[in-house]
Amino acid sequence: MKPGIWRRIDLEDPLKFHNYHEFSSDLSALGQLLQTYVANAQSGEGKTITQEPMPSVAEALKLEQHIRHGGLKGEARHAFMEQYLDYTTRLHHPGYMAHQVAVTSPGTALGATISAVTNNGMNIYEMGPPASTIEFTIVNWLLGKIGWKEMPWPADMPAAAGAHGAGLLTHGGSLANLTALLGARAHAFPKFWSEGMGDVKPVILASATNHYSISRAAGIMGMGTRSVHHLPTLEFGVLDPDKVAAVYRQSVADGGTPFMLVANACATASGLYDPLTELAEVCKELDLWFHVDGAHGSAALAAPKLRHLLRGVELADSFICDLHKMFATNALCAAVLMKRAPDLFGTFQQDASYLFHEKDEPGFDFMPHTVECTKTAMGLRFFLVLAEMGEEGMADFITDLHEESTKIAATIRDTPGFSIPHMPESNIICFRYGDDCEQQVKLRTALTRDGRYHISTTLLEGKRYMRVVIMNPATRVSDIKDMLRRIETFAGET
Ligand SMILES: *Cc1c(COP(=O)(O)O)cnc(C)c1O
């Protein structure tokens, strides 16, 4: 390579790659392409999922050539994006029932575009005042829904001296859980942050049906995944509040120091909610921090008809919520919330740094209170959905998905050969064909190969089930009936 070659290019046209002259026409062509992509998917034509082996995808998309030669723009880029969409898994298709990731609406997609262009690295106010203000407002909206005190405007914070809740948005629920666990640990063991854990063996009490991000967080925090002690459960992995004290005592007898309890609202596998009020009472008696993992089931916060599922959540110390699951927002967008602001503000250092907020600061910096340094303007993507639907529209959207799920579960239950372990409390439904565990996996594989329906499987009380999550308002009972017929056919073939 000749020395200085990059510089010559730069001097020719320093804005060569930052030139937005054709952006509007590129974007309108992309808009047309995406509109067609979504319409095709929503019509239910064709497959939800196609999984070519990775080398074939790399080959078809000519990934290496494009990197080597560069120049992918204009019509060539358009053709690439078209092909990309051909190979992608289509969440807008009514057959999409495998995962808990939201089916996007145009508002959230437009928000992503603004965020993509402006690239305001949210976390300090000066990098994007509207994005920060939206994050602040959404956190307060969620705090209000839980029944916790909202954050005062930054100028009024010093006077409030932390007598309110607090929260922030994170890129995903796993990071939100990690933040909550760190907050709980800092509350119980303030010196750990600087001094390490020494001989202390902190213990987290949780059900075996917890999301894996809890034990992963325990591993990341250096406590070891074995610091998560499993609690006895009622049927289908729902926590039994009456059995907590015995496990607590055993953990202490074994030399551990239990400091928190994690409840599911709802559990990822079964979609069932733990009894929060009763668990909160036990936590109070045993002086345990009470964390509620509402990554999926926080939907009930926004739907009055479902709010009873989260009864007692206001008694928790911390709560997380994935807006990119039930709230129709594109990934990633999650929130971690704490009842007492000083707990969040003290998570990453011992000082209660809310005191450092000068009255004349125009905004609020989330940065001192998060794992992340740079964040996208993720609140905007949620705000544009919520502001289009309004609170009532959001409530209807979530309630409809739940009501359709109840009908779907009843349909499966009443179809000969199929069974469900329990009626759903959320939009997550487990079911089986026959009672052979291995066959459930085989049937799911056959279904995925067929491609029209994309579902998952899960273990519940040691048994394998097929599992659907009704995330898509386009998924109706008629789709399920067709899927069950296909499963029966595949079962006949295996
Ligand atoms: C999805 C989920 C998580 C993890 O959230 P991500 O946003 O995928 O990181 C944590 N807990 C529960 C209960 C979940 O359902």
Side-chain angles (χ1 to χ4, degrees):
M1 192 166 108
K2 282 185 228 147
I5 199 162
W6 60 273
R7 190 182 274 217
R8 224 175 45 235
I9 293 170
D10 264 5
L11 288 178
E12 246 172 48
D13 177 4
L15 290 181
K16 190 175 159 107
F17 299 115
H18 290 80
N19 186 328
Y20 273 77
H21 289 176
E22 286 164 18
F23 188 67
S24 166
S25 61
D26 284 347
L27 199 57
S28 91
L30 176 61
Q32 192 58 56
L33 185 61
L34 288 171
Q35 195 168 320
T36 308
Y37 159 83
V38 171
N40 281 344
Q42 283 173 338
S43 76
E45 292 290 315
K47 298 183 173 190
T48 306
I49 177 166
T50 2
Q51 285 189 92
E52 298 288 332
M54 207 179 241
S56 318
V57 177
E59 167 100 27
L61 296 178
K62 300 194 175 71
L63 301 183
E64 281 187 22
Q65 285 100 305
H66 287 313
I67 292 172
R68 220 176 301 123
H69 303 303
L72 186 64
K73 56 185 290 195
E75 278 175 27
R77 181 162 57 194
H78 189 81
F80 172 85
M81 294 193 286
E82 204 164 4
Q83 212 178 5
Y84 176 96
L85 294 175
D86 281 345
Y87 280 88
T88 209
T89 303
R90 303 193 293 166
L91 276 59
H92 292 84
H93 192 292
Y96 162 68
M97 293 178 263
H99 299 288
Q100 295 155 265
V101 176
V103 178
T104 63
S105 62
T108 196
L110 292 170
T113 310
I114 297 187
S115 172
V117 175
T118 56
N119 213 17
N120 293 141
M122 289 312 314
N123 239 357
I124 49 173
Y125 187 68
E126 64 182 39
M127 285 209 65
S132 277
T133 308
I134 288 173
E135 175 163 354
F136 199 89
T137 305
I138 289 167
V139 165
N140 272 343
W141 182 75
L142 289 167
L143 289 171
K145 291 282 172 218
I146 295 173
W148 292 344
K149 211 161 172 238
E150 297 179 14
M151 298 187 288
W153 288 119
D156 303 324
M157 262 196 198
H164 52 85
L168 48 90
L169 301 182
T170 63
H171 286 98
S174 303
L175 211 43
N177 270 335
L178 173 63
T179 310
L181 264 55
L182 283 165
R185 192 175 68 172
H187 178 87
F189 312 101
K191 291 223 169 95
F192 280 11
W193 184 256
S194 52
E195 311 300 319
M197 290 183 282
D199 294 334
V200 182
K201 288 201 182 112
V203 168
I204 297 171
L205 303 177
S207 96
T209 59
N210 262 280
H211 190 264
Y212 73 84
S213 57
I214 299 293
S215 56
R216 188 172 282 188
I220 292 170
M221 289 159 71
M223 304 190 296
T225 53
R226 285 207 203 128
S227 69
V228 182
H229 291 196
H230 290 157
L231 294 163
T233 53
L234 303 159
E235 251 190 331
F236 308 116
V238 173
L239 279 183
D240 183 351
D242 295 339
K243 303 278 167 60
V244 175
V247 177
Y248 176 95
R249 282 194 296 270
Q250 187 59 48
S251 299
V252 174
D254 294 342
T257 311
F259 69 101
M260 78 183 299
L261 186 148
V262 181
N264 291 320
C266 54
T268 310
S270 66
L272 296 174
Y273 286 76
D274 286 333
L276 303 182
T277 309
E278 292 78 359
L279 289 167
E281 278 165 20
V282 175
C283 287
K284 199 165 171 214
E285 275 163 31
L286 299 173
D287 194 21
L288 293 170
W289 176 288
F290 184 31
H291 174 58
V292 177
D293 182 349
H296 187 89
S298 48
L301 280 183
K305 277 195 200 163
L306 305 170
R307 184 61 175 78
H308 64 97
L309 293 165
L310 285 170
R311 198 176 290 136
V313 66
E314 68 284 356
L315 304 170
D317 298 292
S318 55
F319 182 76
I320 74 147
C321 160
D322 264 6
L323 297 162
H324 64 247
K325 283 183 174 166
M326 294 302 294
F327 291 86
T329 300
N330 52 28
L332 294 160
C333 186
V336 54
L337 302 140
M338 293 192 195
K339 189 196 286 175
R340 296 168 301 271
D343 285 330
L344 180 66
F345 297 169
T347 294
F348 294 93
Q349 63 270 302
Q350 282 166 251
D351 331 312
S353 66
Y354 59 91
L355 294 174
F356 300 149
H357 272 275
E358 298 297 339
K359 267 187 187 257
D360 58 359
E361 280 293 314
F364 182 79
D365 295 341
F366 287 94
M367 192 162 69
H369 320 304
T370 79
V371 176
E372 296 163 281
C373 174
T374 308
K375 295 200 303 195
T376 61
M378 57 191 129
L380 173 66
R381 297 189 269 102
F382 169 62
F383 172 79
L384 288 175
V385 178
L386 184 60
E388 181 177 356
M389 292 183 174
E391 290 191 309
E392 222 171 282
M394 183 62 84
D396 288 347
F397 165 72
I398 291 167
T399 309
D400 282 355
L401 287 177
H402 280 67
E403 287 177 356
E404 195 64 18
S405 301
T406 307
K407 286 187 213 153
I408 285 170
T411 303
I412 300 175
R413 181 195 61 198
D414 298 341
T415 305
F418 291 89
S419 61
I420 55 171
H422 55 77
M423 282 302 277
E425 278 186 341
S426 60
N427 57 338
I428 296 174
I429 307 162
C430 298
F431 68 100
R432 320 184 89 195
Y433 181 77
D435 54 12
D436 176 42
C437 283
E438 270 180 40
Q439 197 186 16
Q440 313 307 315
V441 180
K442 283 188 192 149
L443 291 171
R444 190 260 176 178
T445 307
L447 210 55
T448 310
R449 270 204 206 110
D450 177 59
R452 163 89 223 233
Y453 298 99
H454 186 201
I455 71 167
S456 59
T457 74
T458 191
L459 278 173
L460 209 54
E461 302 199 307
K463 285 195 206 161
R464 182 64 64 178
Y465 287 83
M466 289 183 271
R467 172 180 173 275
V468 291
V469 193
I470 309 306
M471 298 299 291
N472 193 337
T475 306
R476 316 306 314 183
V477 169
S478 53
D479 294 296
I480 300 301
K481 287 185 173 163
D482 178 54
M483 180 181 80
L484 298 183
R485 278 194 295 272
R486 285 182 199 225
I487 291 176
E488 245 173 333
T489 311
F490 298 139
E493 290 165 4
T494 54

